[in-house]
Each structure stands twice: as structure tokens, then as C-alpha cells.
């Protein structure tokens, strides 16, 4: 007897959970993605024959390695490194490295799994991967960060390459870390290639890469607002969680479009500034001095600082942009946002809303841009950096920005059209999952059982 799409998807999920015990974030991402893909399987029973979903949910390769290094006190420290090369059906693996004490295999696999669909949505030829370490750069000296990065790359270099796997930044990995990683890669291999993205402008980086995820998020949400007759960013009150790379450049672009950003946070707490959060001060605190966001109220005494980051979602706003980390909006926070009149949520972070929170937004008619679509501008611009490296050429800021904007507008419409085609109009979660999956599925089918 042939299986129904629903039976097939349930059996794949059951096996995935049994085979990967304790990987809660990976289970969560898989549930969200698979429930959308059931609709595709209904139309493509041949995918069941080919057991496509079970292959899709199994990484092609996982590398876990020891990262020993010596701290400034002369003590030997050991961290764990990861690289998950999830899917190369449409291009070399591509995805960031995260350095944060919470990093474990389940988190890297959830990020890698999402990355496959995100990369496909960009329309560019890049497969999905992700990596990182439980190393915490916070409070470490530059020398310690350098020694850690050199040790990390001493293992990683044998698994990556400009046409194999091209890592980039993520939480805890910015320009400084990419520089140290790149220097060590070059020293070990003697090769000057585009093996990492997010590089400095002096050595092969792309203009707009630093700004790309934040700017791209705003381009996506702006298009979503316009397409739904909800105006634009102009005149909207915006709350942004986080104050890292994504959050800062989301603020910059939203503000340039006429919005007022009234709150931002870090992992300790949040600031509320009814006059509009001053971005120069935030850049000084976070990018230059690597301090806590609580410093803000010292120079802006009319603003308030509150310990604990979850309370930020109690602040009434028109648009919420979670740009810190996974599961930072739960059902309670989602209900509060809806009650306070929030009309749109754009996920700058990866999976910042729990499944329950996402359902609440969708049921309440809040426009909801899921991370894999809304934050794809970073990886898209990384792919543009790869193109420039291959050409030994550099485009202008305006050229890259125009390409980024075009890609984000296209991603919105791809998700919108797929949602309509599968009778879920306005559901960009389903739309993004399906639009991203289609190309990967076709490529996997054409490449045989690999
Ligand atoms: P950064 O390290 O630059 O900034 C992260 C921000 O989030 C910081 O303000 C940090 O606070 C806060 N944060 C991190 N972890 C937690 C936590 N567990 N609880 C509360 N706050 C936390 O990272 P990015 O801006 O690069 O990344 C932010 C999100 O965007 C992540 O989900 C990432 O996967 C996603 N993303 C990033 C892309 C990129 O190009 N960089 C591309 C696509 C998605 P603190 O300073 O206290 O640590």
C-alpha cells in the first residue's frame, strides 16, 4: 500500500527525532519545515519513492573537532568545533560560524537545515552548511580570540574551500574573527581564495556585506508592508531585539526610511528611548568598545534600561524585528505584541519565534516574515562576495546594494506566490519553505541517490 504524504512526513519526522535525541532546536526547525513540505509531497508522490525527505534531513557530513588554545594566563583551554555540511545539491556549502557558549550540535544542525532553504531562496548557486564553537569571545582579549581562531582553522581548513564550503560570520563572529580565520587559512594552504566571506574591504571583502542582513531585512519587510497595503516603514514605531550586526544595520536602514526605533537589547537587558534610539551611541558601545547596552542611559538619561531581555516585547510598536537569537519570542510575548497593535514581524535572527508564537502571529493576521526569507540578505551578499572574488573585481556600494534590494524583493514575491499557489495566501512561512525547497528537490532528484 502506498503511503499518504502525511504518513510519509510523520514517519520521516519520527525517525529524525529518534535518531537525533536531545537536538531540540533541530527537531523544532524540522517540524516547521516538514509541515509545509507535506503540501509539496502531496503533488509529488515520486518524492516518496525516492525517499527524498529522509535524505534531505540527513546532513551530508558532520565534522566535530577539538580546539585547544592557550589563554593570556598561560592556561590550556579546550573548546569544541563544529561544521555541518548539510546539502550541496545546488552549490558549495555556505553558511556562517557561530561562537557562543550555547553552541551544540542541535543548534548547528537547525541553523544548517534552515540555511539550505534560505540559500536556495536567494536564487544564487549555494548549498547549505553551518558551523561554530562553544567558545565565548565575550571578555576575551584580541590575542586570545586570535589564538582560538588560529586553532579552529587549523582543523577546519581541510574541510573547506572556495568551491567546497565557504563559511562566514554569525553570532560572535564578525570582521575581527573572520580576519584571524582568513589569515590562518592562507598560511596553512598558501592560497588566496574566496574561502570565507565577510572579509575586510582591504583583502577581498564586499561592500555592503556588513550591512547586508539588516538592510535586507528592511527591504523584505518594506515590500511585505506595501504588498499588503500597510504603507511602508515611514512613520512606524519599531522595536529591535539585539544590538549586534543584524540589529544595528536594521536600525540604520529602517531609520533612513522614516521609521523610529524605540528599543534595542543585548543578552543582559534592553533600553527604551521614546525619542528614538541613537544609533551612533549604540555603534560606539557595541562595535567600538564591545560594552553592555546598559551604558546607553549614561549619555541618554531620558531613556530607561531594564534587566532581562524578554520584556522588550511588552513595548507597544507597529513593527517588531527580533534580531538576537532563536526562541526569543514565545507565545506570551507574541500575544502581547498582537494585543498592543503590532502589524508586522520580520525575523532578522534565525528562528527567533517559537512555533506557538508563529502560529499566533499567523492566526492574528500579523504580517510575518520568517527568518529564512527575511534575513537571507546576508548570505546573498556573501554569494556576491564570492562572485567578486572569482572575478578578482569589486563592485561599488550602490551596485551591491541594488542587487541586494532586488534579491530581497524577489524573495518576498517567491514566498508570496508559493503561498498562493499552495492555497495558503499570506502565509510566508509555508511560502518560503516551499519556494526554497522546490529547486533543491529538483536538483536532488536529477542527481540520483546521493
Ligand atoms: P552578533 O553577535 O553581532 O549580535 C548578536 C546580538 O544578539 C547581540 O546583541 C547579543 O547580545 C544578542 N544575543 C546573542 N545571543 C543571545 C541570547 N542567547 N539571548 C539574548 N540575546 C542574545 O550576531 P548577529 O547580529 O550576526 O546575529 C544575530 C542573529 O541573526 C542570529 O540569530 C544569527 O543567526 C542571525 N543572522 C545573522 C546573519 C549575519 O549576516 N550576521 C545572517 C542571517 C541571520 P550580547 O552582546 O549580550 O551577546
Amino acid at each position: 500500500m502506498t503511503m499518504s504524504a502525511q504518513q510519509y512526513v510523520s514517519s520521516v519526522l519520527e525517525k529524525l527525532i529518534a535518531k537525533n535525541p536531545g537536538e531540540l532546536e533541530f527537531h523544532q526547525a524540522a517540524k516547521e519545515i516538514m509541515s509545509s513540505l507535506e503540501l509539496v509531497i502531496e503533488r509529488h508522490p515520486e518524492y516518496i519513492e525516492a525517499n527524498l525527505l529522509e535524505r534531505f534531513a540527513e546532513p551530508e557530513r558532520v565534522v566535530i573537532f577539538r580546539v585547544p588554545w592557550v589563554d593570556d594566563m598561560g592556561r590550556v583551554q579546550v573548546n569544541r568545533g563544529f561544521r555541518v555540511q548539510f546539502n550541496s545539491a545546488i552549490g558549495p556549502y555556505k553558511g556562517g560560524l557561530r561562537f557562543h557558549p550555547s553552541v551544540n550540535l542541535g543548534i548547528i544542525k537547525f541553523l544548517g537545515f534552515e540555511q539550505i532553504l534560505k540559500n536556495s531562496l536567494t536564487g544564487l548557486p549555494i548549498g547549505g552548511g553551518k558551523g561554530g564553537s562553544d567558545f565565548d569571545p565575550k571578555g576575551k582579549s584580541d590575542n586570545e580570540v586570535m589564538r582560538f581562531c588560529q586553532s579552529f582553522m587549523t582543523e577546519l581548513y581541510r574541510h573547506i574551500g572556495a568551491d567546497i564550503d565557504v563559511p562566514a560570520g554569525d553570532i560572535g563572529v564578525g570582521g575581527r574573527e573572520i580576519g584571524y580565520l582568513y589569515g590562518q587559512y592562507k598560511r596553512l594552504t598558501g592560497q588566496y581564495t574566496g574561502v570565507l566571506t565577510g572579509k575586510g574591504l582591504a583583502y577581498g571583502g564586499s561592500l555592503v556585506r556588513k550591512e547586508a542582513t539588516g538592510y535586507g531585512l528592511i527591504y523584505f519587510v518594506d515590500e511585505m508592508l506595501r504588498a499588503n497595503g500597510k504603507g511602508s516603514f515611514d512613520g512606524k514605531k519599531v522595536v529591535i531585539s539585539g544590538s549586534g550586526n543584524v540589529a544595528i544595520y536594521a536600525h540604520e536602514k529602517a531609520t533612513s526610511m522614516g521609521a523610529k526605533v524605540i528599543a534595542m537589547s543585548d543578552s543582559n537587558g534592553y533600553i527604551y528611548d521614546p525619542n528614538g534610539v541613537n544609533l551612533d551611541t549604540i555603534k560606539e558601545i557595541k562595535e567600538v568598545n564591545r560594552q553592555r547596552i546598559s551604558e546607553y542611559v549614561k549619555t541618554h538619561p531620558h531613556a530607561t534600561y531594564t534587566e532581562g531581555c524578554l520584556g522588550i516585547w511588552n513595548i507597544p510598536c507597529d513593527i517588531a524585528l527580533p534580531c538576537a537569537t532563536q526562541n526569543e519570542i514565545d507565545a506570551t510575548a507574541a500575544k502581547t505584541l498582537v494585543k498592543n497593535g503590532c502589524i508586522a514581524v520580520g525575523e532578522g535572527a534565525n528562528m527567533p519565534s517559537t512555533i506557538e508564537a508563529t502560529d499566533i502571529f499567523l492566526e492574528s493576521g500579523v504580517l510575518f516574515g520568517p527568518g529564512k526569507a527575511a534575513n537571507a540578505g546576508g548570505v546573498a551578499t556573501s554569494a556576491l562576495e564570492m562572485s567578486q572574488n572569482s572575478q578578482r573585481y569589486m563592485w561599488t556600494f550602490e551596485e551591491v546594494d541594488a542587487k541586494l534590494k532586488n534579491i530581497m524583493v524577489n524573495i518576498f514575491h517567491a514566498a508570496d506566490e508559493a503561498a498562493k499557489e499552495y492555497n495558503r495566501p499570506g502565509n510566508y512561512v509555508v511560502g518560503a519553505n516551499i519556494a526554497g525547497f522546490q529547486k533543491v528537490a529538483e536538483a536532488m532528484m536529477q542527481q540520483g541517490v546521493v
Side-chain angles (χ1 to χ4, degrees):
M1 198 184 77
T2 47
M3 262 186 184
S4 72
Q6 194 193 13
Q7 284 167 330
Y8 176 58
V9 169
S10 305
S11 79
V12 171
L13 259 180
E14 255 171 53
K15 277 197 224 168
L16 181 147
I17 291 167
K19 262 171 118 174
N20 303 286
E23 296 179 8
L24 301 183
E25 291 83 0
F26 180 47
H27 301 171
Q28 182 183 339
K31 278 182 201 155
E32 189 242 87
I33 291 171
M34 295 286 180
S35 63
S36 304
L37 299 188
E38 197 176 305
L39 302 168
V40 182
I41 301 292
E42 273 167 17
R43 293 194 192 178
H44 291 276
E46 71 276 18
Y47 291 174
I48 303 180
E49 279 304 300
N51 201 0
L52 193 75
L53 283 192
E54 197 172 336
R55 286 192 280 139
F56 178 62
E58 187 70 31
E60 290 174 18
R61 192 171 300 102
V62 174
V63 189
I64 302 181
F65 50 99
R66 178 171 70 202
V67 191
W69 55 283
V70 180
D71 69 18
D72 286 347
M73 308 294 285
R75 289 175 305 218
V76 177
Q77 305 278 352
V78 183
N79 286 100
R80 185 172 285 178
F82 301 89
R83 188 70 185 166
V84 173
Q85 297 180 330
F86 222 121
N87 192 300
S88 62
I90 64 167
Y93 311 104
K94 178 99 200 78
L97 296 171
R98 175 176 292 190
F99 292 169
H100 193 271
S102 63
V103 163
N104 57 38
L105 184 59
I107 288 183
I108 299 299
K109 279 169 72 178
F110 116 66
L111 290 164
F113 198 38
E114 293 264 309
Q115 196 82 42
I116 305 168
L117 300 178
K118 180 189 307 194
N119 292 3
S120 169
L121 277 170
T122 66
L124 300 167
I126 38 178
K130 199 84 188 188
S133 174
D134 57 1
F135 173 75
D136 187 0
K138 220 176 281 167
K140 303 287 190 302
S141 69
D142 285 354
N143 273 330
E144 288 177 321
V145 171
M146 181 177 72
R147 286 197 292 274
F148 172 81
C149 288
Q150 290 179 340
S151 180
F152 185 85
M153 186 53 86
T154 300
E155 173 58 35
L156 187 69
Y157 88 96
R158 48 187 109 238
H159 309 289
I160 61 175
D163 293 315
I164 301 170
D165 182 358
V166 183
D170 190 81
I171 291 177
V173 179
R176 175 182 62 170
E177 289 75 16
I178 293 290
Y180 295 148
L181 290 164
Y182 192 74
Q184 183 72 353
Y185 180 84
K186 192 160 56 62
R187 187 182 184 199
L188 288 165
T189 62
Q191 284 180 19
Y192 209 106
T193 67
V195 67
L196 293 172
T197 57
K199 298 186 291 298
L201 295 176
Y203 65 95
S206 173
L207 288 159
V208 197
R209 175 61 189 91
K210 186 174 67 170
E211 295 84 356
T213 310
Y215 279 20
L217 171 66
I218 302 305
Y219 293 145
F220 181 97
V221 174
D222 199 60
E223 190 66 15
M224 180 168 76
L225 292 170
R226 288 171 195 275
N228 286 279
K230 303 278 183 178
S232 67
F233 267 96
D234 196 23
K236 301 284 197 304
K237 274 192 190 158
V238 179
V239 166
I240 301 181
S241 66
S243 47
N245 173 262
V246 179
I248 284 177
Y249 293 96
H251 180 316
E252 187 166 285
K253 183 54 76 177
T255 305
S256 79
M257 288 183 170
K260 190 199 269 189
V261 176
I262 52 173
M264 291 182 88
S265 62
D266 64 17
S267 54
N268 290 102
Y270 65 91
I271 51 156
Y272 169 56
D273 186 341
N275 297 346
V277 173
N278 184 306
L279 191 59
D280 290 337
T281 309
I282 294 290
K283 284 184 177 176
E284 183 74 18
I285 294 172
K286 286 295 184 183
E287 291 189 331
V288 181
N289 300 328
R290 298 181 189 272
Q291 290 171 319
R292 311 312 303 156
I293 205 165
S294 52
E295 293 291 312
Y296 185 87
V297 293
K298 290 188 183 160
T299 47
H300 301 268
H302 59 279
T304 56
Y305 172 72
T306 309
E307 274 291 317
C309 32
L310 277 181
I312 194 169
W313 307 120
N314 296 331
I315 300 171
C317 62
D318 302 309
I319 300 173
L321 302 176
C323 295
T325 193
Q326 63 273 2
N327 292 328
E328 50 170 318
I329 300 187
D330 61 8
T332 309
K335 281 184 198 150
T336 307
L337 281 164
V338 173
K339 182 171 66 77
N340 287 342
C342 173
I343 59 162
V345 174
E347 294 189 324
N350 284 307
M351 207 169 73
S353 313
T354 62
I355 291 180
E356 297 74 30
T358 304
D359 290 343
I360 289 166
F361 291 134
L362 293 174
E363 283 156 18
S364 315
V366 170
L367 300 176
F368 182 78
K372 70 175 70 66
N375 71 30
V379 74
T381 309
S382 275
L384 300 177
E385 183 173 331
M386 289 165 71
S387 303
Q388 293 170 83
N389 292 161
S390 298
Q391 292 177 61
R392 301 266 187 266
Y393 192 67
M394 200 169 167
W395 296 324
T396 64
F397 191 97
E398 289 69 29
E399 281 173 307
V400 182
D401 193 33
K403 288 182 203 297
L404 167 64
K405 186 166 186 193
N406 193 30
I407 290 168
M408 297 314 297
V409 168
N410 286 344
I411 291 176
F412 171 76
H413 289 288
D416 187 42
E417 278 156 30
K420 287 179 184 146
E421 193 193 326
Y422 281 83
N423 301 320
R424 301 286 191 284
N427 185 333
Y428 307 121
V429 176
V430 166
N433 285 333
I434 293 180
F437 181 67
Q438 277 165 335
K439 191 165 71 164
V440 178
E442 255 176 62
M444 286 180 73
M445 290 298 280
Q446 289 168 20
Q447 290 170 16
V449 179
V450 289

